[in-house]
Amino acid sequence: MRAVSPGERRRFNVEPVSGVSYWFDIDFVGDGIRSHRLDVMAPANTGGPVSPLPVYVYFHGGGWTSGDKASLTKYCATQAADGVVVVNVNYRMAPHFHLGHVLEDANAALAWVNSTIGDFNGDGQRCVLGGDSAGGQIAALMTAATFQPELAEHYSLDPALRLPQLRGLVQHCSIVDFSVFFDKGFVMSLNFIRMLLPHGDGRTAPERHRLREAAHYMSPIEWLDSRCPPVFITTSERDFFYASNMNLIARLKEHGVPVDSLVYGWDSPNTEHTWQQNYRYPESQEVYRRLSSFITTVAA
């Protein structure tokens, strides 16, 4: 997976959404690196008291190796315009960092939300987590860690948010079922699992781990159960994680979790993997409308 180019970032974000206040590149760790920056978008205050608003925290995709929050500005601002405080998060990435670092950063961003989002008129007791592709996996694992102590302990996490604060989970073309990596001919190799493991010398090298066991701790579908808040899932038959997302829909329904899904068929040519970033597509605009309704409903 390649990084989003500067030209694509500009194309995704032309004609900025009006009626929204923007705060860019807030350092949520304090070490000055871009991987520890987030953006906040909120409805512009036109005067008078306003009740605290729901909070939508978003993690960008990019196969854990690339991507940046900058390409999601318009996507996030669109939700802010509908009455939500949106937090758009960067994080450290592989191969220089492993999944434990990624989740540590996600948890640090959520700790910042917990302590600071009130300054932006956000209600930290009404949070929805979301992401696309690898970002969806991050959001889903952070959700599961709030009620699965074994998962939190595996990644040495003390979850910054507690389950009652999480009102919903959003998954766009997400990497949620790692069993598909073991399917013959799958588009992504097992090296993606290996690179997310801790690296170092022979004592911590990937060969010390069974890849399927490691994948178990990376795979949200293994951890999301009846305690999971309502979930909004968007995918299409053109998405190479289509089967992964359909498996999650089925599993969540088995657990009795409310699921709102938007699934496009092969006859929708605009719905390649993570099409939701490109607001020009009518399919993307339908995602935004459905997402706004979902957040309004679950965070009421």
Side-chain angles (χ1 to χ4, degrees), residues 18-48:
S18 60
V20 173
S21 297
Y22 298 83
W23 295 268
F24 291 109
D25 290 329
I26 298 171
D27 189 339
F28 62 88
V29 170
D31 57 10
I33 67 172
R34 182 164 178 79
S35 297
H36 289 154
R37 302 293 177 90
L38 57 78
D39 302 335
V40 177
M41 282 149 266
N45 191 343
T46 57

Side-chain angles (χ1 to χ4, degrees), residues 32-254:
I33 67 172
R34 182 164 178 79
S35 297
H36 289 154
R37 302 293 177 90
L38 57 78
D39 302 335
V40 177
M41 282 149 266
N45 191 343
T46 57
V50 179
S51 299
L53 300 171
V55 179
Y56 182 38
V57 183
Y58 198 82
F59 301 96
H60 69 79
W64 306 281
T65 64
S66 63
D68 188 273
K69 61 184 175 59
S71 64
L72 277 303
T73 298
K74 188 151 190 171
Y75 166 92
C76 292
T78 300
Q79 298 309 309
D82 283 340
V84 179
V85 176
V86 184
V87 182
N88 188 16
V89 182
N90 268 355
Y91 49 87
R92 290 173 291 176
M93 293 183 283
H96 300 294
F97 300 95
H98 58 72
L99 185 57
H101 295 125
V102 174
L103 297 180
E104 177 184 323
D105 291 351
N107 199 45
L110 296 180
W112 182 94
V113 168
N114 206 28
S115 64
T116 312
I117 203 62
D119 296 343
F120 301 86
N121 200 42
D123 183 353
Q125 299 303 308
R126 294 188 293 153
C127 294
V128 174
L129 305 188
D132 60 276
S133 195
Q137 182 243 13
I138 296 166
L141 282 181
M142 294 309 299
T143 297
T146 64
F147 56 81
Q148 294 282 14
E150 180 186 348
L151 179 65
E153 182 179 357
H154 180 80
Y155 289 110
S156 301
L157 294 175
D158 179 11
L161 298 184
R162 303 305 172 188
L163 183 57
Q165 294 174 265
L166 296 182
R167 303 298 183 88
L169 174 64
V170 175
Q171 301 283 282
H172 296 318
C173 300
S174 293
I175 306 175
V176 286
D177 182 1
F178 275 62
S179 70
V180 300
F181 281 87
F182 297 90
D183 293 343
K184 185 177 181 179
F186 186 65
V187 66
M188 296 170 71
S189 77
L190 292 176
N191 284 333
F192 274 88
I193 297 176
R194 293 186 180 97
M195 78 174 181
L196 293 174
L197 293 170
H199 21 55
D201 59 21
R203 291 188 299 274
T204 57
E207 56 266 25
R208 292 290 301 272
H209 300 265
R210 302 284 298 176
L211 284 184
R212 285 191 180 272
E213 180 182 353
H216 171 73
Y217 286 97
M218 299 175 184
S219 191
I221 197 172
E222 303 289 341
W223 301 95
L224 295 173
D225 60 21
S226 60
R227 293 167 288 183
C228 182
V231 184
F232 177 49
I233 299 175
T234 66
T235 187
S236 83
E237 291 181 340
R238 290 177 176 267
D239 172 23
F240 42 76
F241 283 107
Y242 170 75
S244 172
N245 283 261
M246 298 307 292
N247 291 346
L248 179 63
I249 291 172
R251 181 72 59 85
L252 291 173
K253 288 183 176 179
E254 289 176 3

